[in-house]
Amino acid sequence: MRNFRILIVITIILFLILAIVDTVVGIALWWYGLLFLSWFLMMAIGSFSMSWKFYLNPITSNKVLTEKKIALTFDDGPNPEFTLQVLQILKDYNAKATFFCLGQHIETYPEILKAIAIDGHDVGNHSFSHDLMIDFNSTERWLQEIKQTDNSIHKITGKKTTLFRPPFGVTTPKLARALKVTEHEVIGWNIRSFDTVISNPQKILKRITKRVHPGAIILLHDKQSNVLFVLEHLLQFLQEHEYQAVTIKELLHDN
């Protein structure tokens, strides 16, 4: 929220400067339009980029970690077609991951979520619906989405998750107010695979591997058909370079 307030203060100061100059010498109206457009663009970028920490203080990596450890994260599951195969690949390479799950998928595929937990992976909250219009939710609606998913996770795994990842990676003031109530740890990423828009798995793999570094958090989706190729070859790359794939909790709290 601090960066958001700084932007507001700067915008007000610039507006006052424009108003004073306009009163003294006169300026064209498009200067005001330029200020508004700049403000609007900064607001949009801040909302869509968790690294800007606009409304929240998300964790996008462990910047102080020097050991060769990274966190693999999977969004939008559990998925009946790919999640169990992802779990098998992780097991084959003795790797751990964190799954940010949707409440509606948890309730539809409880046995898959149970398998994730039994294998020792972290489970995080990724909202209940992941609706296309979810970022326009009220604070009350956000609380309902988050608590409903928390309850589904607890009912199946017996554990309460403290991790939350915003759908689409978008943050808003109303989401920030809801998370202040629920006290979840907000998790972002600093290596985005773009596996939902890039179909070629080799391009996805190359995009990830050239960015790998200690403490990185990698975003993948266990609903994508390309995830199996990418994951297996990524784990081979990590083994060759002596990296260990761990859960978010281990990555963040192992300094």
Side-chain angles (χ1 to χ4, degrees):
M1 190 68 80
R2 179 173 175 268
N3 290 340
F4 167 70
R5 290 171 179 156
I6 290 172
L7 176 61
I8 294 298
V9 170
I10 291 174
T11 303
I12 292 172
I13 291 172
L14 290 174
F15 176 81
L16 291 174
I17 292 172
L18 283 179
I20 292 170
V21 173
D22 194 13
T23 302
V24 175
V25 298
I27 59 173
L29 284 176
W30 63 263
W31 279 101
Y32 293 98
L34 180 61
L35 177 61
F36 173 77
L37 179 61
S38 299
W39 173 82
F40 179 81
L41 288 174
M42 294 293 283
M43 290 286 289
I45 295 171
S47 296
F48 279 87
S49 178
M50 281 194 286
S51 63
W52 279 38
K53 301 184 178 181
F54 220 50
Y55 305 111
L56 294 162
N57 189 30
I59 298 168
T60 56
S61 67
N62 185 339
K63 295 180 180 178
V64 300
L65 188 66
T66 56
E67 291 182 73
K68 285 190 168 184
K69 293 183 178 181
I70 59 94
L72 297 173
T73 65
F74 298 90
D75 284 9
D76 298 351
N79 178 277
E81 191 171 357
F82 302 116
T83 304
L84 291 176
Q85 295 182 72
V86 166
L87 291 176
Q88 185 58 55
I89 295 171
L90 290 169
K91 188 178 293 185
D92 291 343
Y93 288 86
N94 193 30
K96 297 300 180 185
T98 302
F99 291 79
F100 288 94
C101 299
L102 301 180
Q104 60 184 4
H105 291 175
I106 290 170
E107 294 189 355
T108 306
Y109 310 109
E111 292 303 317
I112 301 179
L113 182 73
K114 193 177 294 184
I116 292 171
I118 288 173
D119 282 359
H121 304 292
D122 278 349
V123 176
N125 187 324
H126 195 42
S127 81
F128 188 84
S129 66
H130 206 305
D131 185 80
L132 283 174
M133 303 299 289
I134 197 169
D135 296 313
F136 296 96
N137 274 357
S138 64
T139 301
E140 292 72 24
R141 179 59 183 160
W142 268 121
L143 283 168
Q144 183 181 347
E145 286 260 353
I146 295 168
K147 289 180 178 179
Q148 193 173 0
T149 303
D150 273 357
N151 291 338
S152 297
I153 293 171
H154 183 264
K155 181 173 65 177
I156 295 165
T157 68
K159 298 178 181 179
K160 184 183 184 305
T161 184
T162 60
L163 306 176
F164 179 82
R165 174 170 283 168
F168 308 111
V170 175
T171 60
T172 67
K174 292 175 181 178
L175 173 59
R177 285 194 285 271
L179 290 169
K180 189 174 182 180
V181 174
T182 64
E183 298 182 334
H184 283 75
E185 198 167 24
V186 182
I187 307 299
W189 58 81
N190 66 338
I191 300 180
R192 186 169 192 168
S193 65
F194 285 103
D195 55 349
T196 57
V197 293
I198 301 174
S199 58
N200 187 326
Q202 293 183 341
K203 287 185 178 179
I204 297 170
L205 181 65
K206 184 178 180 180
R207 174 180 176 80
I208 297 171
T209 54
K210 70 180 182 180
R211 291 171 170 83
V212 166
H213 60 86
I217 298 177
I218 301 171
L219 170 63
L220 294 162
H221 294 80
D222 52 330
K223 66 176 183 178
Q224 299 295 123
S225 60
N226 52 28
V227 71
L228 303 178
F229 176 93
V230 172
L231 178 59
E232 179 139 24
H233 288 80
L234 175 57
L235 289 171
Q236 290 173 2
F237 171 88
L238 293 174
Q239 276 193 354
E240 291 169 5
H241 292 80
E242 299 181 340
Y243 273 89
Q244 182 183 1
V246 299
T247 64
I248 284 288
K249 288 180 181 176
E250 183 176 346
L251 185 82
L252 300 183
H253 303 295
D254 184 1
N255 293 325

